[in-house]
Amino acid sequence: MKNAYCLYRVSTKKQVDKAKLNQIVRGWINYYGIGSMKQFMDKFGQWLRHKVRVVIIKQWKKPKRIYANLQSLDKKLKSNMTDEDIYKVANTRLGLYRRCGMNVVNYLLSPGVLALPNEKRKRSGLINPLEYYLSKMQ
């Protein structure tokens, strides 16, 4: 899992990484799905989405680009985040991991948003490991 989504592979495309991640998670769950790991899948899904958020913020690189992209997501989702909150996230000097733990990023890049496929560009969405595991158990 570490090699599939490390922070240093920023130049690779997001859609390729999400497809690769989905493939790894599905294979891992199919192989180890015999055991009961519902709680682990919940924690793993949270950790995985957090790592994806970190990579997305890292790809945006500059505070100006982070601010513009979060603003556009805010308008699309109609979440009514204040400009000040988005500005704080974009211009904070915290590390990437802590920045992505803030409420604004967690809400704007929520699991529902990360799971949305893009039909126009043929990008796959990120699967939720817990939902996939529960579907395989039934």
Side-chain angles (χ1 to χ4, degrees), residues 60-90:
W60 291 343
K61 292 184 180 180
K62 297 182 179 180
K64 186 177 179 181
R65 174 60 40 208
I66 294 170
Y67 179 76
N69 288 339
L70 288 177
Q71 281 284 54
S72 67
L73 278 173
D74 184 40
K75 288 179 185 174
K76 286 179 186 175
L77 297 175
K78 298 177 184 171
S79 60
N80 298 327
M81 293 280 177
T82 62
D83 290 341
E84 183 179 348
D85 289 340
I86 295 173
Y87 185 82
K88 284 180 190 176
V89 170

Side-chain angles (χ1 to χ4, degrees), residues 6-14 17 55 59 61:
C6 67
L7 289 176
Y8 302 108
R9 290 181 35 197
V10 175
S11 63
T12 59
K13 297 178 182 174
K14 286 186 280 190
D17 284 345
V55 170
Q59 286 178 340
K61 292 184 180 180

Side-chain angles (χ1 to χ4, degrees), residues 33 35-38 41 129-137:
S36 95
M37 46 187 199
K38 184 177 176 183
M41 280 295 127
L130 179 62
E131 289 177 5
Y132 184 73
Y133 171 72
L134 292 176
S135 70
K136 294 301 276 183
M137 292 300 293

Side-chain angles (χ1 to χ4, degrees), residues 95-110:
L96 289 170
Y97 206 78
R98 287 203 45 205
R99 181 186 296 189
C100 291
M102 294 180 170
N103 291 335
V104 174
V105 178
N106 280 338
Y107 186 77
L108 293 176
L109 293 173
S110 63

Side-chain angles (χ1 to χ4, degrees), residues 5 8 24 40 44 50 76 84 89 92 98 106 124 128:
Y5 223 96
Y8 302 108
I24 291 171
F40 175 74
F44 176 70
H50 190 81
K76 286 179 186 175
E84 183 179 348
V89 170
T92 185
R98 287 203 45 205
N106 280 338
S124 61
N128 187 347

